[in-house]
Structure formats: C-alpha cells, structure tokens
Amino acid sequence: DAGVTQSPTHLIKTRGQQVTLRCSPKSGHDTVSWYQQALGQGPQFIFQYYEEEERQRGNFPDRFSGHQFPNYSSELNVNALLLGDSALYLCASSRRMITQYFGPGTRLLVL
Amino acid sequence: DAKTTQPPSMDCAEGRAANLPCNHSTISGNEYVYWYRQIHSQGPQYIIHGLKNNETNEMASLIITEDRKSSTLILPHATLRDTAVYYCIVPKNAGGTSYGKLTFGQGTILTVHP
C-alpha cells in the first residue's frame, strides 16, 4: 500500500517565478492538507482540501493556491516566489479530515 | 487548537524506555491528543492518538491522565533510530469527528544515546 507521495523531491526557482507541487494521497484517503516548514521551525498549515474544495486556510497570502482533483490528488501553486518561500513543503492525507499521514516533502529553494 | 507544552529536549539511553511528557490543560472534552515525530529532513510520522483511555500500538504507548490535562508518550525500548523531534498536538475538533489543521509547536528533541 503506497503512502503519500510528493513530486518533485527538490527544485530550485528564482524570485518572481511560479511553482507547482504535487501530492498523491494514501490509498483510501480523500482529504489533503499542505504545510510549509522553514528551516529550524515546525510545519505551518497552509490549507486543506476535501471534496475538491478548500475547507480551511492558514495565515498564508493569496499567492499560495491549491487544487484537488477528482482522484483526490492535489497541487499546491505558489506565484511570485520570494526568497522567504524557500522551505520544505509537506503534504498530508487523511480520510474525512481525521488522522493525517505525511509525505516526504518537496524541498524548494528560491534564489 | 488547545495549547500544548513540552520540554525542549530529553535524552535516553538505547534500550531504555523513553517517556515524553506533554501538558494540555485547556483541552476540551471531545479533543484528541496526537503524537507525531519528525526525523531530520523527513516528513512527520504519525505515532499514536487517544481521547481518554490509554492506547498502545506497535510503535508506542500513550498514557493520558484522568483529568486529560496531560499525557505521556512512552517508547518502551528506545533505539538510535528513535532520535527525532516529537510533537504533541491537540487539533481543534472541526465538527463531529472531523479535524482540521495540525498546529506544530517546537516539540521535544529526543536524543537516544548508545
């Protein structure tokens, strides 16, 4: 049984560019949450998707947007990248927003 | 989320039990206690969760006090691979059995020594 998968594992972008990160949930899960983890900090909640709708959102600007597809996979989009967006981006999946299981993360470096 | 307080760091000898405490004095009656851990540069790993009864799984045991204001995660036989940051989280009940965001604090850095 595959766990949560994320792609890519690493990427490098420059300021002002846009990036799309992808997440496939664990089998049987229908909810996807995204977190940002800056170096030395705990993960910070970005938003959560259930039934293809954003259900909750953390304190992140509108440059951060997402989407959930009918197969429950999800994308995180970040526009107009800033240096401060450099972080580990984590996806977590769950069934009906209960226990969340995390993927390995995508490490984004903005230069 | 209910606020949680954990010691910043703890040490444990390999093979001994590691007991990680967490205070959550503002927990509500229908809120669960969750424990996750994060090994360096990896995604957080779910360990265990509980409401009021003690829980045990293949990874750990969770002891919750009768008043539910504190809990202890027990790793019965710690190994070097258990060295990680351990997070105690009480997610807000978003309604029914649904839970929303997880709010991660600073956690406890557990170092297991040979």
Side-chain angles (χ1 to χ4, degrees), chain A residues 35 37 56 97-100 102, chain B residues 34 36 38 44 99-100 102:
Chain A
Y35 294 78
Q37 186 173 24
Q56 292 191 72
M97 295 184 275
I98 306 181
T99 303
Q100 297 184 27
F102 285 81
Chain B
Y34 276 78
Y36 285 82
Q38 188 172 27
Y99 293 86
L102 298 176

Side-chain angles (χ1 to χ4, degrees), chain A residues 35 37 40-45 48 56 88 90 96-104 107, chain B residues 34 36 38 41-46 49 87 94 97-106:
Chain A
Y35 294 78
Q37 186 173 24
Q41 303 294 317
Q44 300 293 311
F45 176 79
Q48 181 180 75
Q56 292 191 72
L88 179 67
L90 296 159
R96 300 289 174 89
M97 295 184 275
I98 306 181
T99 303
Q100 297 184 27
Y101 293 83
F102 285 81
R107 189 163 297 280
Chain B
Y34 276 78
Y36 285 82
Q38 188 172 27
S41 295
Q42 298 181 20
Q45 178 186 23
Y46 164 77
H49 73 282
Y87 295 100
T97 57
S98 298
Y99 293 86
K101 66 178 183 178
L102 298 176
T103 300
F104 289 80
Q106 293 303 306

Side-chain angles (χ1 to χ4, degrees), chain A residues 6 8 10 17 19 22 24 29 38 63 67 88 90 93 103 110:
Chain A
Q6 294 186 242
H10 297 80
Q17 285 189 312
V19 67
R22 295 175 176 84
S24 291
H29 286 185
R63 298 188 298 109
H67 187 78
L88 179 67
L90 296 159
S93 76
V110 182

Side-chain angles (χ1 to χ4, degrees), chain A residues 13-24:
Chain A
K13 292 286 188 178
T14 58
R15 282 180 299 173
Q17 285 189 312
Q18 178 263 345
V19 67
T20 297
L21 310 181
R22 295 175 176 84
C23 173
S24 291

Side-chain angles (χ1 to χ4, degrees), chain A residues 35-64:
Chain A
Y35 294 78
Q36 179 196 66
Q37 186 173 24
L39 199 62
Q41 303 294 317
Q44 300 293 311
F45 176 79
I46 302 175
F47 42 53
Q48 181 180 75
Y49 278 84
Y50 172 64
E51 293 186 330
E52 301 180 49
E53 291 188 13
E54 184 181 294
R55 298 291 177 165
Q56 292 191 72
R57 189 180 183 92
N59 188 25
F60 280 81
D62 292 343
R63 298 188 298 109
F64 289 76

